[in-house]
Amino acid sequence: MKKISILGSTGSIGTQALEVIKQHPDQFKVIALSAHRNIRLLIEQIKEFHPDTVCISDTALSEDIKNNLGKMCNDVLYGREGLLELAGRDNVDILLNGLVGSAGMEPTINAVTSGIDVALSNKESLVLAGGVITQLQKKNNVNIFPVDSEHSAIWQCLKGEKPEQVKRLILTGSGGPFRNRPTDTFSSVTVEEALRHPNWNMGSKITIDSATMMNKGLEVIEASWLFEIQVKNIDIVIHPQSIIHSMVEFSDGSVKAQLGYPDMKIPIQYSLTYPDHAAVSWEQFDLAAIGQLTFEQPNFQKFPCIKLAYHAMEAGGSYPVVLNVANDMAVDAFLRNSISFTEIPQLIEKAMEAHSSVGEPDVDEIKELMSWTYHFMNSKLKG
Ligand code: MG
C-alpha cells in the first residue's frame, strides 16, 4: 500500500487526486492533507480518508479551527511553517504537490531534500528552482512524477527510449478560450471570459495562464528541467481538441504520442500508480466519436507570454524566477479586476527587464529574487 500526502487537498488537483484514491482503496493510504483555508471541505476529507496529520496553511484561521480539527485529528499543523514541516516528513512514499503558484516551491524542495518522491502538479516549483531541485533529486535519488498532462504524456512516450535519440519534444496546447478572438479586443477581455476554458476543468490561476498561454510557456520550462532537454528542442503545437497530450520525436523521424480524454484524473492517477496503469471505470476512449484532430502553429504575437517564457529560459538563471513571480502577481491582479488582460505580459516583461540578473541562483538567492519581484510588482500595481 502506498502512503500518500497531499498538499492542496481542497484545490482542483487535490480533490481529483482524492477521487482517484477512492477508486483504489486497497492501493493507497492517505497519511496527510493540507489545505489553505477551505476548512469545511477539509473536514469532509478528514471524515472520509482519516489522515494522521492535517495542516491549515492560512495562519489567520489557526485559532478558529484549532479546537474543531483537534477533535478529529491528533496531529494538526498550522501556517506556512506547518506546511513546510509536513512537506519534509519522510513517513510517506509519495508527496503530491497540488499547491498553486510560487508557494509550491519550498514544499517541493523540502520533500526532495528528505528523499521523498514527488508527484508534481506545481510546475512553478521547477520554473523557479529547476536547477536546485534537479541537483537535490540526483543527490537524494528521488523521483519526480509529473502530474501535468503534457509532461505525463512525454514521460510515457520516453519509457524505454534512449535520451540521446530524442530529437525534440512537441507540447500540445488547446490554444485556450481566445484562440480565435481578434487580438485588438484583448484589452477588453473580462475575468469571466478568461475563466471559461474550452476543454479542461482547472483552478482559476492555471485557467488564466491558459488564456494568456503563459501556461504553455511555463510548461516548456518545466519540460526542459524534467526531461533535461534544451528549450530550443521543445516546440508547441496548438491542438484544440486536447486529445493528444504531447509527443516526442526521435532521431529517425518517428513520433510517439500519448492520447486520452482531457481529464486530469488520468495523469494524476499515473503519477501515483507508476509504473502501473491501474484499471478504472472511466468513460472508454472513442476516437470515432471524437472524429477529427486538428493542429495549428502557436501565435507568438497574439500571446506574448509564450515568447517571454522561452526568452526567460534561454536567458536562464534568475529570469524564470522573475517571470514566474511576476506572472503569479499579474494574474492575481487581473482576477481582482485591478489590471487588464493585456497588462499581464506587459508587467511581466517590465519586471524581467528591470531586475539585476543572477546566474544559477541558490535557494536564498531565489527567495531574494522572489521578494524583489514581489515589491517591484506591488509598486507597479499600486502606481
Ligand atoms: Mg498542462
Side-chain angles (χ1 to χ4, degrees):
M1 204 177 244
K2 278 184 187 166
K3 290 183 271 182
I4 311 280
S5 65
I6 301 178
L7 306 185
S9 71
T10 58
S12 174
I13 294 294
T15 51
Q16 294 183 78
L18 288 170
E19 278 180 53
V20 165
I21 287 171
K22 207 154 67 177
Q23 293 229 0
H24 309 284
D26 51 327
Q27 288 190 42
F28 302 112
K29 163 84 183 105
V30 175
I31 299 296
L33 297 173
S34 93
H36 189 52
R37 60 161 69 104
N38 191 345
I39 295 174
R40 224 175 42 165
L41 182 54
L42 182 64
I43 287 174
E44 280 174 34
Q45 293 176 343
I46 296 171
K47 284 181 187 159
E48 186 164 3
F49 295 96
H50 311 290
D52 301 337
T53 304
V54 291
C55 174
I56 279 282
S57 59
D58 188 345
T59 30
L61 299 169
S62 309
E63 287 310 313
D64 296 347
I65 50 136
K66 213 166 221 165
N67 296 329
N68 248 327
L69 285 182
K71 283 180 213 142
M72 306 179 62
C73 192
N74 292 332
D75 188 21
V76 185
L77 302 171
Y78 298 97
R80 183 80 185 154
E81 300 73 37
L83 179 69
L84 293 176
E85 191 206 316
L86 180 60
R89 285 193 183 175
D90 61 1
N91 60 339
V92 293
D93 299 305
I94 301 179
L95 174 110
L96 173 71
N97 184 347
L99 298 171
V100 176
S102 304
M105 175 192 76
E106 280 182 280
T108 300
I109 292 177
N110 285 7
V112 175
T113 303
S114 298
I116 297 301
D117 289 343
V118 179
L120 188 64
S121 165
N122 180 262
K123 67 192 79 181
E124 293 87 347
S125 292
L126 287 173
V127 176
L128 289 166
V132 170
I133 290 169
T134 46
Q135 255 182 7
L136 281 169
Q137 195 194 341
K138 283 175 189 160
K139 189 176 138 210
N140 298 330
N141 201 17
V142 165
N143 295 300
I144 292 186
F145 304 130
V147 170
D148 214 345
S149 60
E150 293 78 2
H151 305 75
S152 179
I154 292 166
W155 182 33
Q156 293 178 59
C157 291
L158 288 173
K159 232 177 174 178
E161 302 289 357
K162 293 179 178 158
E164 67 273 18
Q165 293 170 2
V166 172
K167 190 175 165 201
R168 65 177 175 137
L169 309 181
I170 306 165
L171 291 181
T172 55
S174 68
F178 305 137
R179 184 171 58 94
N180 292 319
R181 181 172 172 142
T183 315
D184 58 8
T185 68
F186 271 25
S187 57
S188 61
V189 162
T190 66
V191 171
E192 291 68 30
E193 287 169 336
L195 283 175
R196 229 174 277 142
H197 195 278
N199 301 345
W200 293 97
N201 168 22
M202 306 176 291
S204 58
K205 194 266 177 181
I206 185 172
T207 306
I208 301 301
D209 282 347
S210 298
T212 63
M213 293 206 65
M214 179 58 94
N215 184 51
K216 213 45 60 185
L218 299 179
E219 287 180 352
V220 167
I221 299 175
E222 182 188 9
S224 175
W225 286 116
L226 274 175
F227 306 113
E228 298 184 271
I229 190 159
Q230 292 183 330
V231 288
K232 69 173 187 334
N233 297 321
I234 305 175
D235 289 335
I236 297 168
V237 68
I238 301 304
H239 166 45
Q241 296 81 16
S242 298
I243 295 297
I244 295 183
H245 298 310
S246 279
M247 295 169 260
V248 177
E249 183 179 340
F250 297 91
S251 39
D252 58 358
S254 172
V255 178
K256 273 165 90 173
Q258 186 265 345
L259 290 76
Y261 286 129
D263 180 345
M264 281 309 296
K265 289 198 292 299
I266 300 173
I268 291 170
Q269 172 166 304
Y270 190 63
S271 77
L272 301 177
T273 60
Y274 171 85
D276 296 315
H277 291 276
V280 287
S281 54
W282 301 328
E283 187 185 0
Q284 184 162 314
F285 187 61
D286 184 352
L287 263 184
I290 293 161
Q292 216 180 18
L293 300 181
T294 60
F295 305 93
E296 54 196 71
Q297 286 290 344
N299 188 334
F300 282 45
Q301 273 66 50
K302 192 168 175 176
F303 297 102
C305 283
I306 316 176
K307 219 164 33 182
L308 291 173
Y310 269 101
H311 168 63
M313 194 58 178
E314 275 154 10
S318 52
Y319 281 85
V321 179
V322 177
L323 170 96
N324 192 75
V325 177
N327 180 58
D328 275 4
M329 293 187 69
V331 169
D332 185 57
F334 173 71
L335 284 168
R336 287 183 284 105
N337 287 306
S338 298
I339 62 167
S340 71
F341 188 73
T342 43
E343 282 176 285
I344 298 174
Q346 288 165 7
L347 285 167
I348 298 167
E349 189 168 15
K350 276 190 190 139
M352 281 167 64
E353 276 169 8
H355 92 284
S356 344
S357 82
V358 182
E360 298 190 27
D362 61 22
V363 177
D364 288 337
E365 287 168 323
I366 292 169
K367 285 188 194 165
E368 272 168 42
L369 284 158
M370 289 168 78
S371 112
W372 178 88
T373 312
Y374 181 79
H375 290 295
F376 177 86
M377 288 295 286
N378 260 343
S379 72
K380 295 288 162 196
L381 291 166
K382 276 177 196 142

